[in-house]
Amino acid sequence: VVNAIGNIGELLIDNSVTWEDIKKTLDDDEYAIEFTNVTLMKQYPDTEPYYGAYIIGKHYDSPKLVLLERLDSIDKNIVNDNPDDLFINSLYSNQKNRKIYEITWKKIEPYLKENSTIYYTPTSYLSYLNMEIIEDENGKRLSEKFNMRRVNSTSYIYEMKKSLKSKYNSAVLFGNIHYDESLADMITESEKYDSYTGVAIDNKAILRSMNERGRWGNIPATKKEIYNIAETLNNQSRIVEIKELNAANEESFKNLSGNSPDIIHLATHGFVIDNIEKATGNKFVASTNIYSYKESFMMWAGLLLAGANNLWTGQFAINNVEDGILTAEEISQLDLSNTKLVVMSACETGKGFVDPIDGIIGLQRAFKKAGAKTIVMSLWKVNDEATSLMMSSFYKYLIGGKERHEALELARRDVEKEYPDPFYWAGFIMLD
């Protein structure tokens, strides 16, 4: 590739939707951006490994291809296997933040109108960036310059635009969970539901997570979080059900399949094992049959529900009772197509195995396969109190009439006032 900018006449999205189809869904002040790995494109088989971005606009005859930087030069700024508060605060500090802007969005912006709406789909480790808070050389965030909309695929723009004024009339809230529920109590809670679903959903999903050798402890602020949210929703006459303590079990979640509410909120522990090295020594990985390398990563990401410590700490699972470890593989086989919003108020729920072609393999893929429309998820291990504040604020704005993206942005700003470091407020992103 000699020039950094090119026009591509053919661009196929999701095997059936062309760039021309996407263009028809855009207004004059809207753009669709598909980030890509240039080395995977058949047009340039000998190109060095670069990130690129296709830009589709109403006034462009064909998509623009903007080459960014080599993969390694971008990834080294983003990737950290166990990002802590120091790494996160450094990543979104003025100096590094603007460096990332310089090697990514600065090259894209000349092809965009300011104050326009940007529907964008990251790829590879770019998915680990909260792009909305990237700052330009003048300290202005992208969210201040554009209406940023992260989408699972730009082929879904039409459906997303239809859902911008969604009404939320029902919700199920999970939180304040007993991870050390006794096996006897697990049986008692399980009997409240019609049937055990583990066999139907597949026993290969027995494994999980990042806290490999420890126990999952209670999360104090989740009780306040779900009750604050319930009060906000009830004040607007919404139908709300709280699942807490032993009742927040895996059976109760799977029972939502086929009749799911508008909102599913999960205030709990999240986990992800995104490489074989992290799986080494894990008791549950050792007891699980791995059918394929890629397939295993849908079993190694998930959410913790009541009684999860029994299996997590090495006790054998009992027959005909769910183990409390809700994996991405299990979620992907449910029907949550009635759900407009899933909020995973937990750690690292936006992470997973990074596949250069298939994208992030983990919880976000699972909920999308299950039919959920919009997902709020986290990019790192989030603080308990700050997260509780973020969520309470988010629902206050959402139910108060703000559009969902704006509601999350306003909630970020509320938390930023109390906790200035980006570690506390920048971790949650929204995916349509």
Side-chain angles (χ1 to χ4, degrees):
V1 179
V2 178
N3 298 315
I5 306 298
N7 292 327
I8 303 299
E10 296 180 4
L11 174 60
L12 191 66
I13 306 295
D14 286 358
N15 298 319
S16 59
V17 179
T18 68
W19 70 268
E20 292 167 315
D21 297 324
I22 295 170
K23 182 177 178 179
K24 293 174 183 176
T25 70
L26 299 174
D27 295 330
D28 290 339
D29 59 347
E30 297 179 331
Y31 298 87
I33 298 179
E34 283 273 350
F35 287 90
T36 185
N37 181 333
V38 175
T39 57
L40 298 177
M41 299 190 316
K42 64 180 181 181
Q43 294 96 332
Y44 304 112
D46 300 321
T47 303
E48 291 184 340
Y50 270 72
Y51 280 117
Y54 285 113
I55 305 173
I56 303 172
K58 198 78 170 178
H59 54 289
Y60 288 140
D61 293 333
S62 61
K64 302 288 185 179
L65 171 61
V66 180
L67 285 186
L68 303 178
E69 295 283 334
R70 287 180 59 94
L71 267 67
D72 54 2
S73 68
I74 292 180
D75 288 351
K76 71 181 180 182
N77 289 291
I78 301 170
V79 180
N80 186 309
D81 285 341
N82 294 292
D84 57 11
D85 55 342
L86 294 177
F87 175 81
I88 297 301
N89 292 332
S90 173
L91 177 62
Y92 293 103
S93 65
N94 290 347
Q95 182 178 2
K96 201 158 189 180
N97 203 334
R98 293 171 192 178
K99 172 64 176 176
I100 293 172
Y101 170 78
E102 183 179 324
I103 60 180
T104 55
W105 283 90
K106 185 174 183 178
K107 300 183 178 185
I108 297 171
E109 279 198 49
Y111 300 88
L112 310 175
K113 298 175 183 177
E114 193 158 340
N115 298 319
S116 56
T117 297
I118 311 297
Y119 303 99
Y120 69 97
T121 303
T123 189
S124 193
Y125 287 105
L126 289 175
S127 301
Y128 283 7
L129 268 182
N130 185 340
M131 291 190 177
E132 297 171 24
I133 66 168
I134 297 298
E135 295 179 353
D136 65 17
E137 57 269 13
N138 298 314
K140 198 170 185 180
R141 294 176 185 169
L142 290 178
S143 62
E144 297 176 285
K145 304 169 75 171
F146 306 102
N147 297 316
M148 301 289 288
R149 305 287 184 259
R150 182 185 292 233
V151 292
N152 191 50
S153 169
T154 52
S155 63
Y156 300 150
I157 291 174
Y158 176 71
E159 292 299 321
M160 178 197 164
K161 290 169 75 171
K162 286 200 307 182
S163 70
L164 285 176
K165 295 183 179 180
S166 292
K167 299 295 183 183
Y168 305 100
N169 297 314
S170 59
V172 176
L173 315 176
F174 290 79
N176 188 31
I177 297 170
H178 276 176
Y179 303 106
D180 286 309
E181 181 186 14
S182 71
L183 295 180
D185 286 342
M186 290 178 76
I187 294 173
T188 300
E189 289 295 332
S190 175
E191 289 173 347
K192 296 178 181 179
Y193 298 91
D194 291 339
S195 63
Y196 166 64
T197 60
V199 173
I201 288 183
D202 200 326
N203 268 336
K204 67 185 180 184
I206 289 183
L207 187 256
R208 353 304 96 159
S209 202
M210 286 301 294
N211 195 16
E212 299 106 6
R213 296 175 179 81
R215 301 179 68 85
W216 298 101
N218 293 336
I219 315 175
T222 60
K223 180 176 182 178
K224 175 176 64 177
E225 178 178 324
I226 60 173
Y227 276 90
N228 283 346
I229 294 169
E231 182 179 4
T232 298
L233 294 168
N234 282 326
N235 285 342
Q236 297 293 326
S237 301
R238 267 62 175 185
I239 300 170
V240 182
E241 185 176 1
I242 288 178
K243 298 289 186 181
E244 62 176 333
L245 306 175
N246 294 350
N249 61 357
E250 195 173 346
E251 285 88 347
S252 69
F253 183 89
K254 291 179 177 177
N255 195 57
L256 301 177
S257 184
N259 189 33
S260 58
D262 292 336
I263 296 172
I264 299 175
H265 184 92
L266 295 137
T268 185
H269 291 292
F271 67 90
V272 59
I273 294 178
D274 53 8
N275 60 59
I276 294 297
E277 289 71 24
K278 289 182 181 179
T280 303
N282 186 294
K283 298 174 183 177
F284 309 104
V285 173
S287 66
T288 303
N289 292 321
I290 300 175
Y291 292 85
S292 74
Y293 179 73
K294 186 181 294 188
E295 186 180 49
S296 66
F297 294 107
M298 287 293 281
M299 298 165 9
W300 297 351
L303 299 159
L304 280 296
L305 295 174
N309 272 334
N310 287 299
L311 185 60
W312 195 264
T313 56
Q315 298 184 45
F316 291 105
I318 53 179
N319 293 328
N320 300 323
V321 175
E322 300 283 5
D323 53 43
I325 301 173
L326 180 65
T327 69
E329 175 68 18
E330 292 174 298
I331 293 167
S332 71
Q333 297 182 45
L334 303 177
D335 175 8
L336 304 177
S337 55
N338 293 326
T339 297
K340 301 172 184 176
L341 176 66
V342 172
V343 179
M344 292 184 281
S345 181
C347 293
E348 300 184 302
T349 48
K351 297 180 71 174
F353 175 69
V354 178
D355 185 271
I357 297 175
D358 293 333
I360 304 297
I361 298 176
L363 284 163
Q364 59 181 282
R365 174 178 294 260
F367 277 107
K368 283 296 182 180
K369 287 184 72 174
K373 306 304 185 292
T374 296
I375 304 169
V376 174
M377 54 193 180
S378 63
L379 295 174
W380 51 79
K381 295 178 180 179
V382 294
N383 176 269
D384 186 21
E385 286 291 341
T387 297
S388 179
L389 173 60
M390 170 82 75
M391 295 304 164
S392 297
S393 185
F394 169 64
Y395 282 97
K396 178 187 69 176
Y397 291 119
L398 183 71
I399 302 305
K402 296 295 184 183
E403 187 274 322
R404 60 183 180 268
H405 301 87
E406 184 181 2
L408 183 60
E409 176 63 21
L410 291 170
R412 283 195 197 110
R413 294 177 188 176
D414 285 349
V415 178
E416 188 176 5
K417 293 173 185 175
E418 297 289 328
Y419 302 88
D421 289 344
F423 172 76
Y424 295 98
W425 53 265
F428 283 97
I429 58 173
M430 182 173 287
L431 176 72
D432 287 304

